[in-house]
Amino acid sequence: MHESGIAYDVYVTSKRAAEENHAVTVKTIFVDVGSMAMVNPEQVEFMFRTFISDDPMFAETKLVFNTILPVAECECGYKGPEIFVCPNCGKLPRMIQGREIVVKNLEIETGESS
């Protein structure tokens, strides 16, 4: 189950960024997930909850997943959603978007008053 590894990476990446920014609480983690990454967000969420269960910084954290649609480009100049056969020349295009899993943004509280 690679969702466990993904959930752990989301946790570690978010914790590191939160600590670097002096966070007291992580409110929301925004994660971009490519539709071709073959990831089940519900399973990632479940596994993420197990990793954060003893970490008070993440007590009320929400995970927000954003699906990234695939985009491919071909040496002929095509760039678009067709990832298997270039509609212009018939060659195999190279996928440039749609397989990524990225912690894009964190919403944190620092405990500092504004």
Side-chain angles (χ1 to χ4, degrees):
M1 173 192 283
H2 69 286
E3 279 82 357
S4 178
I6 293 165
Y8 182 75
D9 288 345
V10 168
Y11 170 61
V12 170
T13 300
S14 300
K15 184 164 181 78
R16 183 179 325 119
E19 288 173 344
E20 288 172 0
N21 289 283
H22 311 289
V24 175
T25 306
V26 177
K27 300 301 248 176
T28 310
I29 302 171
F30 298 91
V31 183
D32 284 354
V33 179
S35 61
M36 300 300 289
M38 304 304 178
V39 171
N40 182 324
E42 292 82 21
Q43 289 179 350
V44 172
E45 172 98 25
F46 176 79
M47 295 306 298
F48 177 78
R49 296 279 159 228
T50 64
F51 293 123
I52 67 168
S53 62
D54 293 329
D55 192 334
M57 184 187 293
F58 290 84
E60 297 181 26
T61 302
K62 292 186 300 186
L63 279 181
V64 176
F65 294 96
N66 177 40
T67 301
I68 305 299
L69 297 176
V71 174
E73 67 182 8
C74 185
E75 60 190 39
C76 75
Y78 169 78
K79 184 174 181 179
E82 179 53 58
I83 60 172
F84 298 110
V85 177
C86 175
N88 292 344
C89 70
K91 292 183 180 177
L92 178 66
R94 180 175 62 90
M95 191 181 312
I96 59 172
Q97 175 182 301
R99 290 186 296 224
E100 64 272 25
I101 303 165
V102 179
V103 174
K104 201 67 170 175
N105 198 7
L106 296 178
E107 182 180 299
I108 62 172
E109 286 186 8
T110 61
E112 299 173 6
S113 57
S114 311

